[in-house]
Amino acid sequence: MQRWAVNLQDSSWQNAAETRAVSAALKAGELVAVPTETVYGLAADATSGLACARIYQAKGRPRFNPLISHVESLDAALKHGNFDKRALLLAKTFWPGPLTIVVPKVPDSPVCSLATAGLNTIALRVPASAVMRFLCQSTGLPLAAPSANISGKVSGTTADAVISDLGSSLSYIVDAGPCPIGIESTIVALNTATPVLLRPGGIAREDLEAALGTPLAEPFPSTAQCAPAAPGMLSSHYAPRAAVRLNALEVNEGEALLAYGGTAPSASEKAVMNINLSRDANLAEAAAGLFSALRQLDTSGAHTICVQPIPAEGLGEAINDRLQRAAAPRQ
Ligand code: TXA
Ligand code: MG
C-alpha cells in the first residue's frame, strides 16, 4: 500500500504523478482509500463486479448491502439514475455535498449489479471532496465507495484509522487529513411516493424538509433486522470494542467518558479517559470528532464508554443515530 499525502489548499496534486498512478489503479480494479468531506471511502470501479467484490471482501460486508456510487456531477449522475423533480431539486440544492440520493436505476447504467446488491434502485452522491470528484473524472468511472472501515465497526475519518482497518487490502490511500464533517452522508430515498430518510447524516433533516416542503418519512421497518434498506440501519453498527452507555449523567468505575458541552457529569474524575466532543456544545464540531473519539476511547481498555446526552436536533440526529447503533446489542 502506498500512502500519498495531498494538500487540498493547493491544486498541484491534480497534476502529480501519483494522481495518474491512483487513477490507473482504480481503472485496473484495485482498491483505493479516498478522503471525502464525510468519512474516508473505500473506492473501486463501480462498473466492475470484480472490483466491487474486492470491496465486500475487504470490509467483510454482507453482499445484500448495496454501495453508494460516487460521480463528479449531476450530469454524470443522470446516466445512472432516473431523477424526478424532487430528486433534481435535492441534487441541485445540496450537491456537491454530504447527501446520497436513492433513485430508480437507469436500466443501461454500467454500474454493476453487485454495487447495487441487485436492487433496481441506485444510491448516488456527488461529494464535495475534490479528490473523489477528480478521480471520477480522471478515470471516467463512477466510483463505488462505502465507508473505509471493517463492516459494523467505527468509520474511519483519518488515514491512520483507515490503514489500521484495511491497509493490507489497499493499493493506495490518499491522505488529505481528517474529514471535515466526520459523519456519513444523509441518505434520502426518492423511489417512493413519500421521500424517506434512510440514514440521518451530514445534512440535517430540517434542511432537506425545508427544501422539499414536505416531511421525510421514516424507513419501514424502522430498525430492520434482516433485509435493511441500508446497512447503517442494522441495529448494531459503528461499534467500538467496548460497550457503549448512552445519556450518562455520572461516570462509573472503569468507564471512559465521551463528554459533550460545558457541564461535566458527576464522578467524571473516575473516567479512565475523557474526550469532550465540543465544550461549546457545537454539533458540527461534535460530529467531526465523533468517530475518532470512539476509536481513541476504545484504546483506553475501558470496558464501557459512557456518553453524555447530546441534543437530537440538526446534526445531533445523525450523531445520536450512530451512538444508538454503537450501543445496541452486538450481533
Ligand atoms: O458519507 C458517505 O456516505 C460515505 C462516503 C465514503 O461517501 N459512504 C458511506 O457508505 O457511508 P456506506 O456503504 O458505509 O453506507 C452506504 C449506505 C448503506 O447503508 C447502504 O445500504 C445504502 O447506503 N445504500 C446503497 N445503495 C442503496 C440503495 N439502492 N437503496 C437503499 N440504500 C442504499
Ligand atoms: Mg459505513
Side-chain angles (χ1 to χ4, degrees):
M1 182 212 64
Q2 293 186 52
R3 181 175 184 153
W4 175 38
V6 301
N7 172 7
L8 294 178
Q9 309 314 317
D10 164 5
S11 63
S12 62
W13 59 269
Q14 296 183 1
N15 303 312
E18 287 92 337
T19 309
R20 287 190 291 281
V22 167
S23 296
L26 286 166
K27 282 197 201 169
E30 294 170 20
L31 299 183
V32 177
V34 178
T36 83
E37 73 278 24
T38 57
V39 298
Y40 276 74
L42 179 62
D45 176 0
T47 69
S48 159
L50 185 59
C52 290
R54 289 190 176 127
I55 292 181
Y56 286 93
Q57 190 180 22
K59 281 186 62 110
R61 177 179 178 118
R63 288 181 183 227
F64 59 76
N65 286 328
L67 308 172
I68 297 173
S69 293
H70 296 70
V71 288
E72 71 269 26
S73 63
L74 173 56
D75 272 356
L78 295 176
K79 293 182 193 140
H80 307 290
N82 272 320
F83 283 62
D84 65 10
K85 270 192 185 154
R86 304 166 306 173
L88 282 176
L89 174 73
L90 290 188
K92 286 179 180 162
T93 310
F94 297 103
W95 280 353
L99 176 68
T100 296
I101 300 178
V102 173
V103 288
K105 188 181 180 194
V106 168
D108 60 359
S109 156
V111 169
C112 68
S113 62
L114 192 53
T116 54
L119 299 172
N120 56 11
T121 56
I122 183 166
L124 288 158
R125 170 156 118 84
V126 178
S129 157
V131 178
M132 185 70 96
R133 277 188 286 131
F134 184 87
L135 290 172
C136 291
Q137 225 163 10
S138 65
T139 56
L141 293 170
L143 294 176
S147 53
N149 53 277
I150 300 295
S151 184
K153 301 294 179 192
V154 179
S155 306
T157 53
T158 64
D160 285 336
V162 173
I163 290 168
S164 84
D165 273 17
L166 296 170
S168 60
S169 306
L170 299 172
S171 293
Y172 288 91
I173 180 163
V174 183
D175 178 359
C179 302
I181 293 178
I183 205 156
E184 294 87 343
S185 61
T186 304
I187 306 179
V188 177
L190 290 167
N191 58 317
T192 45
T194 310
V196 178
L197 180 65
L198 289 179
R199 179 177 73 183
I203 292 186
R205 169 200 290 272
E206 295 87 332
D207 295 339
L208 293 160
E209 291 180 340
L212 287 167
T214 166
L216 293 167
E218 299 308 312
F220 178 82
S222 60
T223 51
Q225 296 286 346
C226 39
M233 291 167 64
L234 288 165
S235 50
S236 172
H237 209 80
Y238 313 105
R241 181 199 46 76
V244 175
R245 184 168 72 83
L246 300 179
N247 297 319
L249 301 176
E250 80 293 309
V251 177
N252 297 327
E253 212 60 59
E255 289 185 330
L257 169 63
L258 186 60
Y260 179 82
T263 314
S266 48
S268 61
E269 71 285 351
K270 285 188 185 159
V272 298
M273 190 188 277
N274 180 343
I275 298 179
N276 196 320
L277 287 175
S278 173
R279 286 182 199 285
D280 306 331
N282 175 324
L283 289 166
E285 185 187 17
L290 176 67
F291 289 133
S292 283
L294 285 172
R295 282 178 181 263
Q296 213 185 323
L297 291 171
D298 225 6
T299 64
S300 70
H303 53 76
T304 302
I305 298 170
C306 66
V307 186
Q308 272 190 286
I310 299 176
E313 81 265 6
L315 284 184
E317 183 177 9
I319 296 172
N320 280 291
D321 170 81
R322 305 303 188 271
L323 286 169
Q324 277 154 17
R325 293 177 204 281
R330 311 288 161 84
Q331 278 128 355

